[in-house]
């Protein structure tokens, strides 16, 4: 039975589905499990003798792995005159970074927040000031990124004002209940607090601005908690005293209450019922403007462009200016236009224009506009940064050089931002890769067309001598094809003989500042010629070269749906159908749209869309999908070359896609006895199993847990082979309990006088609902991370009572005695695989151990190899921003416990395992030690730091010893992992020269000795 991974992830609801690819055994019940045995036990013997991994030498770092550091979605841009060669970027991932204008290289990056975005970024004299969503205000040194000072507040910071001359600036921090002033060194100067008994101030501050007429005055909006009775409070910047108070129009309170307001220079602009209202905060006369009624207009983010601001409905953008006569419409642009400031090197900035940019289908149009009249200069059109690939413009900043040329930095809806000089795109940073939603490996070497697969089916149907005869019969035809294509044959031989030339960085489409590994071509030759397909939260699809991080192709789908920045609530779903190990796979992509979901069938190698259709309007959130595969040796469906599948939503409705396909309907009817689905429901605290029918789901079982579900996992890498036995040191065999229907669920319970928490780990059969193992972990608490593979489950969790992290490993074995190797080698007299009912599987024997782990974990995965011979390793993303590998031999519940030292003195006894599972003398199994150390030689990232890792995937390479691992989060990291060293390939430092010389000398000596020996034999015969 083969399970599909959950296609959407929420705390409320998780689900998965199963497809059984093998036919039912005669007389068996509907739910069955296939048990496959290899034809030889040699693979298991090799696996038990493999050595463990070791660290790299210093000169080997960077040979195969790569690390791509990113910033995240830009939310603010800043420029400082004393650092004219760079810009400063704040991101939704909590980063503040310095980026060079000439090539987009990141000079430094600092994490202002690890659990939220940066809201505000201001460039001060020789420094930066940032504000995070959690209420932290931080001051940074602009040249190095060093933290100067930090202040954490208990409530959110609404705005920052920089007051005074450059030589002596003051930072005014605005919060709901207080205005606070600090020097650039962080020294507190004064505070103005609301809610005091002797104060005339109302409950809350809402916004603030500096007076254009008096630089020493702060004008703040003060109103009730619901926005009622708004007033403008004038505060002296040097003392914090209130100079005067002026009432504001009631429409300002309405805008405050609805959240449709922003500060533009010294005005508060509100948008209420299609009308713009501008009220002066520092004195003056207000004005209003009635917007067109075609479409819903929204206020665009004001980017400190003086009195110029914009509103847009997506199709049209109106740009306004606020002058002495009130609001004035300056310009109308088609599409979404963004207004940004221009920083000039000239001292006289009177009448400084603003920049206006619009991303169009074939490029970006940039114009300079006079803020008084609305007149624009001739447009600069930059090809290479278009709306079709990047979406609408969002942020804009321009720097004018002394030569009069302009450097522009612009960000777009796909979270990217680019540097443009004049009309030429100089660089692009694809920061959407910092918000990857899903990732999967795709191998180029296994790519095949549907026609090729259909041609192979008749040959696969035959077995034994018949198959061999069919292959030999086709051999002359293959030789004839080679003779007919002599040029292709010569070209292939030339390519094989000629050494490959490493491509230069200019030939690769690498991200700014990225470096390709020095031996990436060598790794590609050993079966790592793969793509990493990723879909991001901005609905952008990328195909990355696994060995170099090069972007092979990209496709922006935001125009087809809607961006989902909150990935827990909604997001895209990506799957390879039928799986990543199949000889032909199609990339299936489902993205949220206004009317439901859009479904795309995409060619993974090129990104070409084969088919696109919309889900029915009745379809709700996606819960799971099942590929509809024909039974073995049956012809595949011909639905325009796309893979049919079933979709199940969270309302338990079943849909067949592509819609209207007769062959898909036929596959559903033929597969009704082998399709299953499960749901882990956090809301009802239960796990349920269903059989999938054409007309819906039929519930088979239900388990009421009665506790909040904190994690769940199903076995990884079930599409690849595995070793079903473990050979001990005395050549006896342990049979692993291999059940691809396993489901591990962790729940948390709390109670008692101390309100202590504990965890419960359940291992279930998701087809039958049988609980195979249950374990209680006292003191355990979330965050919990689960990973399952083959016959084991690993759980990492926190133990607050003992202030540490722990890892529990459970391994399942069959209750079967060793019958010798005869049945394994020869199949017990049966030449075919056996199918056994899941209802008739015997209960496994669990072995369990717990270890202390010194650090926290953000994600876990297991390695995968082509034949499953190499021992598994558990890959962990640590909270210390490192990627760590621990071998399964260390997380082995068969490690014997031996009481020594104080434990033996207190009467502790050895914890002996059953004789069947106890390690032998010939078998190297280290004794149990409670602490699992983090060794430097097992740290895969070496000197790199990989921040905010959210997920990891792995895939086999062409070498059985090597697994490919890709980690994604704020940063990306790729590395090959060798759990048992490179036992099937020569090391990179191997001395080939000595080998060639030795072989050459042997050949020469053989030729010389053969000559003299034959000559001597001839002379002997003439005697």
């Amino acid at each position: 039975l083969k399970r599909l991974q959950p296609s959407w992830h929420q705390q409320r609801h998780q689900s998965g589905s199963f497809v059984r690819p093998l036919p039912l055994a005669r007389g068996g019940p509907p739910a069955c499990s296939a048990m496959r045995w290899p034809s030889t036990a040699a693979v298991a013997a090799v696996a038990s003798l493999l050595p463990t991994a070791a660290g790299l030498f210093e000169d080997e770092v960077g040979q195969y792995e790569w690390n791509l550091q990113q910033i995240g979605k830009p939310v603010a841009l800043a420029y400082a005159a004393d650092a004219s060669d760079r810009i400063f970027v704040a991101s939704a991932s909590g980063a503040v970074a310095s980026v060079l204008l000439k090539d987009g290289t990141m000079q430094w990056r600092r994490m202002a927040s690890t659990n939220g975005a940066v809201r505000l970024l201001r460039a001060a004299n020789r420094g930066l000031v940032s504000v995070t969503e959690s209420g932290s205000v931080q001051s940074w040194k602009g040249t190095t990124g060093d933290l100067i000072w930090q202040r954490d507040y208990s409530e959110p910071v609404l705005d920052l004002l920089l007051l005074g001359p450059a030589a002596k600036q003051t930072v005014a921090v605005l919060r709901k209940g207080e205005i606070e002033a600090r020097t650039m060194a962080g020294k507190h100067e004064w505070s103005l607090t609301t809610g005091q008994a002797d104060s005339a101030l109302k409950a809350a501050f809402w916004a603030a601005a500096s007076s254009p007429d008096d630089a020493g005055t702060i004008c703040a909006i003060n109103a009730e908690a619901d926005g009622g009775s708004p007033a403008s409070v004038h505060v002296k910047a040097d003392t914090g005293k209130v100079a005067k108070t002026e009432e504001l129009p009631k429409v300002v309170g309405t805008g405050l209450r609805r959240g449709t307001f922003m500060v533009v220079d010294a005005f508060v602009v509100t948008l209420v019922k299609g009308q713009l209202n501008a009220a002066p905060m520092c004195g003056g006369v207000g004005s209003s403007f009635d917007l067109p009624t075609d479409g819903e207009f929204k206020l665009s983010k004001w980017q400190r462009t003086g009195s110029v601001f914009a509103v847009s409905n997506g199709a049209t953008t109106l740009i306004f200016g606020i002058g002495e006569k009130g609001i004035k419409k300056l310009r109308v642009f088609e599409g979404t236009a963004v207004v940004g400031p221009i920083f000039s090197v000239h001292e006289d900035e009177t009448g400084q224009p603003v920049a206006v940019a619009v991303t169009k289908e074939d490029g970006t149009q940039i114009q300079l506009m006079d803020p008084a009249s609305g007149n624009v200069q001739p447009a600069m059109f930059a090809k290479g940064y278009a709306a079709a690939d990047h979406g609408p413009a969002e942020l804009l900043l321009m720097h004018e050089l002394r030569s009069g040329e302009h450097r522009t930095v612009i960000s777009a809806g796909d979270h990217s931002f680019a540097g443009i000089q004049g009309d030429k795109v100089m660089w692009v940073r694809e920061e959407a890769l910092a918000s990857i939603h899903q990732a999967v490996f795709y191998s180029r070497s296994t790519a095949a067309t549907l026609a090729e697969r259909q041609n192979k089916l008749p040959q696969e149907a035959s077995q034994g001598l018949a198959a061999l005869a069919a292959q030999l019969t086709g051999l002359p035809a293959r030789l004839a094809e080679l003779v007919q294509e002599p040029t292709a044959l010569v070209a292939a031989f030339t390519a094989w003989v000629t050494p490959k030339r490493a491509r230069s960085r200019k030939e690769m489409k690498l991200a700014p500042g990225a470096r390709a590994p020095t031996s990436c071509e060598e790794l590609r030759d050993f079966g790592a010629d793969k793509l990493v397909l990723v879909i991001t939260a901005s609905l952008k699809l990328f195909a990355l070269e696994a060995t170099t991080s090069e972007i092979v192709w990209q496709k922006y789908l935001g125009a087809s749906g809607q961006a989902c920045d909150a990935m827990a609530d909604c997001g895209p779903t990506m799957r390879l159908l039928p799986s990543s190990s199949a000889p032909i796979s199609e990339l299936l992509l489902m993205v949220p749209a206004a009317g439901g979901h859009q479904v795309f069938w995409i060619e993974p190698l090129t990104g070409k869309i084969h088919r696109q259709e919309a889900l029915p309007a009745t379809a709700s959130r996606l819960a799971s999908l099942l590929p509809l595969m024909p039974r073995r040796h049956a012809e595949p469906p011909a639905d325009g070359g796309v893979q049919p599948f079933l979709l199940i939503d969270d309302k338990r409705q079943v849909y067949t896609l592509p819609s209207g396909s007769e062959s898909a309907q036929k596959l559903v009817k033929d597969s009704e006895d082998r399709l299953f689905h499960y749901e882990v429901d956090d809301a009802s605290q239960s796990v349920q199993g269903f059989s999938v029918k054409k007309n819906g789901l039929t519930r088979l079982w239900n388990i009421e847990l009665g506790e909040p579900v904190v994690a769940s996992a199903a076995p990884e890498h079930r599409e690849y082979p595995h070793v079903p036995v473990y050979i001990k040191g005395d050549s006896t065999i342990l049979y692993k309990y291999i059940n691809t229907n396993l489901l591990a669920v962790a729940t948390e319970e709390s109670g008692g006088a101390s309100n202590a928490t504990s965890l419960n780990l359940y291992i279930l059969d998701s087809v039958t609902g049988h609980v195979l193992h249950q374990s209680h972990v006292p003191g355990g608490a979330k965050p919990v991370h689960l990973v399952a593979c083959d016959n084991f489950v690993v759980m990492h969790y926190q133990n607050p009572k003992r202030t540490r992290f722990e890892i529990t490993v459970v391994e399942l074995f069959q209750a079967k005695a060793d019958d010798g190797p005869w049945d394994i080698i020869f199949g017990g007299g049966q030449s075919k695989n056996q199918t056994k009912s899941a209802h008739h599987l015997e209960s496994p024997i669990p072995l369990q151990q717990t270890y202390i782990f010194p650090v926290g974990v953000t994600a876990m995965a297991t390695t995968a190899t082509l034949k499953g011979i190499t021992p598994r390793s558990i890959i962990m993303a640590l909270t210390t921003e490192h990627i760590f590998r621990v071998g399964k031999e260390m997380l082995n519940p068969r490690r014997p416990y031996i009481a020594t030292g104080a434990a033996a003195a207190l009467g502790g006894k050895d914890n002996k395992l059953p004789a069947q599972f106890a390690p032998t003398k010939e078998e190297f199994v280290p004794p149990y030690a409670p602490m699992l150390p983090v060794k430097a030689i097992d740290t895969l990232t070496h000197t790199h730091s990989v921040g905010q890792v959210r997920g990891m995937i792995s895939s086999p390479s062409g070498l059985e010893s090597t697994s490919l691992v890709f980690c994604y989060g704020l940063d990306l990291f790729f590395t090959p992992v060798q759990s048992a060293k490179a036992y099937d390939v020569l090391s990179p430092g191997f001395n080939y020269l000595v080998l060639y010389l030795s072989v050459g000398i042997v050949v020469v000596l053989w030729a010389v000795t053969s000559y003299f020996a034959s000559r001597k034999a001839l002379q002997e015969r003439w005697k």
Side-chain angles (χ1 to χ4, degrees):
L1 299 181
K2 183 178 179 182
R3 173 196 176 270
L4 289 174
Q5 294 290 347
S7 51
W8 64 286
H9 305 274
Q10 281 190 311
Q11 294 182 354
R12 186 190 68 82
H13 195 88
Q14 291 182 350
S15 63
S17 299
F18 297 83
V19 181
R20 186 179 62 80
L22 295 180
L24 288 171
R26 200 171 284 179
C32 296
S33 176
M35 307 293 290
R36 298 192 174 198
W37 304 99
S39 59
T40 178
V43 293
V46 172
S48 63
L49 299 176
L50 295 178
T52 57
L56 296 179
F57 291 103
E58 190 171 340
D59 58 348
E60 293 178 337
V61 176
Q63 189 172 16
Y64 298 114
E65 78 278 0
W66 55 263
N67 179 33
L68 181 60
Q69 286 195 328
Q70 300 173 113
I71 302 172
K73 177 187 177 181
V75 296
L77 303 176
Y79 175 84
D82 57 345
S84 59
D85 60 338
R86 70 197 73 174
I87 61 164
F88 303 101
V89 184
S91 75
S93 301
V96 177
S98 171
V99 177
L100 289 180
L101 283 170
K102 63 177 181 179
D103 57 7
T105 302
M106 184 169 61
Q107 283 194 310
W108 55 261
R109 185 191 69 179
R110 301 292 180 264
M111 298 307 301
S113 174
T114 57
N115 56 359
V118 178
R119 290 187 60 251
L120 301 172
L121 183 65
R122 301 284 188 264
N125 182 32
R126 297 185 180 180
L128 301 169
V129 184
S130 63
V131 175
T132 67
E133 286 184 339
S134 58
S136 293
V137 178
Q138 297 153 320
S139 177
W140 311 89
K141 192 174 181 180
T143 54
T144 61
D146 295 338
L147 181 64
I148 300 176
W149 59 269
Q150 176 176 329
R151 171 71 174 174
D152 297 326
Y153 296 96
S154 58
E155 59 180 352
V157 176
L158 303 179
D159 203 353
L160 278 180
L161 298 179
L162 297 179
L163 308 172
K168 188 180 180 181
Q169 284 186 317
T170 301
V171 181
V173 181
L174 177 72
R175 295 182 289 129
K176 280 283 187 181
E178 186 183 47
I179 301 178
E180 183 183 79
R182 291 181 175 270
T183 65
M184 286 301 298
K187 179 183 177 181
H188 180 270
E189 293 195 332
W190 54 262
S191 298
L192 178 63
T193 308
T194 62
Q196 296 180 355
D198 56 345
S199 174
L201 296 176
K202 300 179 178 66
F205 291 111
W206 289 81
S210 60
S211 174
D213 301 326
D214 184 5
T217 301
I218 300 174
C219 304
I221 297 179
N222 182 232
E224 301 295 344
D226 60 354
S229 304
S232 175
V233 178
H234 297 207
V235 182
K236 291 294 183 181
D238 53 350
T239 61
K241 302 296 184 181
V242 177
K244 64 176 180 178
T245 302
E246 296 180 349
E247 296 297 325
L248 295 175
K250 293 183 179 180
V251 69
V252 174
T254 304
L256 297 178
R257 184 166 55 253
R258 296 182 179 181
T260 56
F261 75 96
M262 68 178 180
V263 174
V264 177
D265 204 11
F267 293 83
V268 54
V269 177
T270 58
L271 177 55
V272 178
K273 295 182 179 180
Q275 185 181 64
L276 281 176
N277 296 274
M281 300 171 60
C282 300
V285 181
S287 59
S288 62
F289 185 91
D290 292 327
L291 296 174
T293 57
D294 52 341
E296 181 182 358
F297 283 87
K298 296 182 179 180
L299 294 169
S300 300
K301 184 176 182 179
W302 183 64
Q303 300 182 55
R304 314 193 74 78
T305 52
S307 60
V308 180
F309 68 98
V311 296
S312 178
N313 62 359
T316 305
T317 300
L318 306 180
I319 298 181
F320 296 91
I322 306 177
E324 296 179 355
K325 297 182 179 180
I327 299 178
K328 177 184 178 182
K329 185 171 71 173
L330 300 177
R331 206 80 181 178
V332 179
F333 289 87
E334 295 297 326
T336 302
V338 59
V339 184
I342 299 177
F343 296 93
S344 175
V345 297
H346 303 292
E347 297 180 358
D348 184 13
E349 297 187 1
T350 304
Q352 178 72 26
V354 296
V356 182
V358 182
T359 53
K360 298 181 177 294
E361 290 300 317
D362 54 349
T364 300
Q365 176 182 299
I366 304 173
Q367 292 179 283
L368 275 61
M369 187 181 71
D370 183 6
S373 62
N375 296 330
V376 295
Q377 298 181 13
M380 296 175 289
F381 194 81
K383 294 183 178 181
Y385 196 76
D389 298 326
H390 300 281
E394 292 190 351
L395 299 176
L396 181 66
L397 184 147
M398 180 177 287
H399 174 226
E400 183 180 5
L401 304 176
R402 293 186 181 276
S403 61
E405 197 173 15
H406 295 87
R407 282 180 175 174
T408 305
V409 177
I410 182 172
S411 74
D414 70 334
H415 301 180
S416 67
F417 67 101
I420 302 174
Q421 185 163 343
D423 57 356
K424 183 180 180 182
V425 178
M426 304 299 295
W427 50 267
V428 178
R429 292 190 64 96
E430 296 289 353
E431 295 299 333
L433 293 171
S435 59
I436 293 177
H437 192 74
Q438 283 180 281
V440 64
F441 277 101
Y442 179 75
S443 176
R444 287 192 180 98
S445 59
T446 59
T449 62
L450 185 62
E452 291 174 347
R453 190 183 178 196
Q454 290 175 341
N455 292 334
K456 291 180 180 180
L457 284 172
Q459 298 178 10
E460 292 177 356
S462 59
Q463 298 179 0
L465 294 177
L468 179 60
Q471 294 179 7
L472 293 177
T473 304
L475 185 59
R478 299 297 181 185
L479 294 176
E481 291 179 3
L482 292 178
V483 175
Q484 293 174 1
E485 298 278 347
T487 56
L489 185 61
V490 172
F493 179 77
T494 305
W496 178 70
V497 173
T498 305
K500 293 186 177 180
R501 180 181 62 87
R503 293 189 300 164
S504 64
R505 189 186 185 282
K506 294 182 179 180
E507 296 175 346
M508 301 180 184
K509 297 179 181 179
L510 298 178
R515 294 182 179 179
T518 57
S519 300
C520 58
E521 297 290 344
E522 177 185 344
L523 183 61
R524 187 180 295 115
D525 291 339
F526 285 113
D529 188 15
K530 297 191 176 188
L531 297 178
V532 180
L533 306 175
V534 301
I535 182 66
T536 68
S538 62
L539 303 185
K540 191 163 187 179
L541 184 64
F542 291 91
L544 305 177
E545 187 68 53
T547 56
T548 63
S549 78
E550 179 183 2
I551 298 178
V552 179
W553 57 264
Q554 56 183 297
K555 189 172 292 293
Y556 179 58
L557 303 172
S560 303
Q562 59 183 9
C564 286
D565 292 331
M567 293 192 295
D569 296 329
C570 75
T573 298
M574 181 180 66
R575 285 298 308 274
L576 276 176
L577 295 182
S579 72
S580 58
S581 64
I584 173 174
S585 297
E586 293 172 352
L587 184 64
L588 181 69
L589 186 64
M590 280 170 282
V591 299
H597 280 75
Q598 291 285 331
V599 184
F600 299 87
W601 285 264
I602 300 176
E603 167 59 45
L605 288 177
T606 62
K608 178 182 177 182
I609 297 178
H610 289 316
R611 183 185 177 96
Q612 176 183 354
E613 67 176 76
L615 288 181
T618 56
S620 184
R621 288 184 182 274
L622 175 66
S624 184
L625 59 90
L626 299 85
L628 293 173
M629 298 297 297
R631 295 182 185 268
R632 182 167 296 181
H633 310 318
E635 293 187 2
D639 291 299
V642 299
Q643 172 69 46
F645 67 96
L646 284 181
L647 184 143
I648 304 173
D649 65 5
D650 62 345
K651 295 181 180 179
R652 298 172 186 168
Q653 298 295 318
V654 180
Y655 302 91
T656 305
L657 295 174
S659 58
S661 170
E662 295 182 0
S663 58
Q665 297 293 338
K666 183 177 181 300
L667 284 175
V668 174
K669 185 177 180 181
D670 295 341
S671 306
E672 283 187 342
D673 59 346
R674 59 193 183 105
L675 301 178
F676 300 92
H677 171 75
Y678 76 86
E679 293 180 356
V680 180
D681 196 338
D682 292 351
S684 61
Q685 300 179 355
S686 64
V687 184
Q688 303 178 64
F690 305 86
S691 64
V692 181
K693 304 296 182 183
K694 179 179 179 180
N695 299 325
L697 303 179
T698 302
R699 188 165 71 178
L700 300 177
W701 54 269
N702 179 40
I703 299 178
E704 297 290 343
L705 301 174
E707 301 161 356
V709 178
V710 293
S712 63
E716 297 181 353
H717 311 306
R718 286 169 296 186
E719 64 269 30
Y720 298 107
H722 57 268
V723 179
V725 297
Y726 179 82
I727 299 180
K728 298 171 62 178
D730 58 356
S731 299
T732 57
I733 295 175
L734 296 179
Y735 292 88
K736 300 178 182 178
Y737 184 83
I738 303 295
N739 185 350
T740 56
N741 307 324
L742 286 182
L743 174 64
V745 180
T747 63
E748 184 183 51
E749 63 175 336
S750 59
S754 60
N755 199 27
T757 61
S758 61
L759 295 175
N760 289 314
L761 175 64
Y762 302 89
I763 302 179
L764 317 171
D765 187 313
S766 56
V767 170
T768 64
H770 296 162
V771 179
L772 304 177
H773 175 68
Q774 179 180 353
S775 177
H776 181 71
V777 183
K782 57 185 178 182
V784 176
H785 296 277
L786 279 175
V787 65
C789 188
D790 294 341
N791 65 323
F792 64 87
V793 176
V794 176
M795 180 174 67
H796 179 280
Y797 56 92
Q798 185 181 13
N799 192 329
K801 184 177 181 180
R802 299 187 177 182
T803 61
R804 69 190 187 194
F805 295 98
E806 297 176 354
I807 293 180
T808 293
V809 56
V810 179
E811 195 161 358
L812 306 178
F813 292 93
Q814 295 186 50
K816 181 179 179 181
D818 180 17
D819 298 329
W822 186 265
D823 289 344
I824 296 179
I825 298 176
F826 298 100
Q830 300 180 8
S831 59
K832 295 184 178 180
N833 297 325
Q834 298 184 27
T835 301
K836 191 173 183 180
S837 169
H839 292 278
H840 295 165
L841 293 177
E842 298 181 358
S843 298
I845 297 179
L847 301 180
Q848 178 175 334
Q849 277 184 352
T850 300
Y851 300 87
I852 301 172
F853 198 63
V855 293
V857 167
T858 61
M860 290 199 306
T862 60
T863 57
T865 57
L866 204 57
K867 300 299 181 183
I869 301 174
T870 305
R872 305 280 187 184
S873 287
I874 312 300
I875 310 299
M876 304 179 184
L878 307 182
T879 53
T880 57
E881 297 188 349
H882 293 91
I883 307 298
F884 178 71
R885 183 205 72 86
V886 56
K888 182 60 180 63
E889 69 277 359
M890 299 302 297
L891 291 173
N892 185 2
R894 294 179 58 244
R895 293 176 62 177
Y897 176 76
I898 302 175
T900 59
L906 294 175
K909 297 182 179 180
D910 296 347
N911 184 13
K912 294 185 178 181
L913 293 170
Q916 180 183 359
F917 304 102
T920 61
K921 294 182 179 179
E922 298 84 359
E923 186 180 2
F924 177 73
V925 178
Y928 173 78
M931 175 66 72
L932 190 66
V934 178
K935 299 180 180 179
I937 61 175
D938 290 329
T939 302
L940 303 178
T941 46
H942 311 295
T943 58
H944 304 297
S945 62
V946 185
Q948 301 181 14
V949 176
R950 292 187 298 271
M952 295 186 290
I953 59 173
S954 61
S955 177
S957 68
L959 299 175
E960 175 58 28
S961 64
T962 306
S963 176
L964 307 178
V965 175
F966 175 71
C967 310
Y968 59 90
L970 176 60
D971 300 332
L972 306 182
F973 180 73
F974 167 84
T975 185
V977 177
Q978 296 171 338
S979 300
K981 296 185 179 180
Y983 59 85
D984 51 359
V985 66
L986 295 176
S987 65
F990 183 80
N991 197 333
Y992 289 94
L993 179 60
V994 174
L995 176 63
Y996 295 151
L997 289 176
S998 302
V999 173
I1001 292 173
V1002 170
V1003 170
V1004 171
L1005 291 177
W1006 171 80
V1008 172
T1009 54
S1010 298
Y1011 171 75
F1012 283 106
S1014 60
R1015 181 180 178 85
K1016 182 176 181 181
L1018 181 61
Q1019 291 176 351
E1020 291 290 336
R1021 291 183 181 182
W1022 279 102
K1023 287 182 178 180

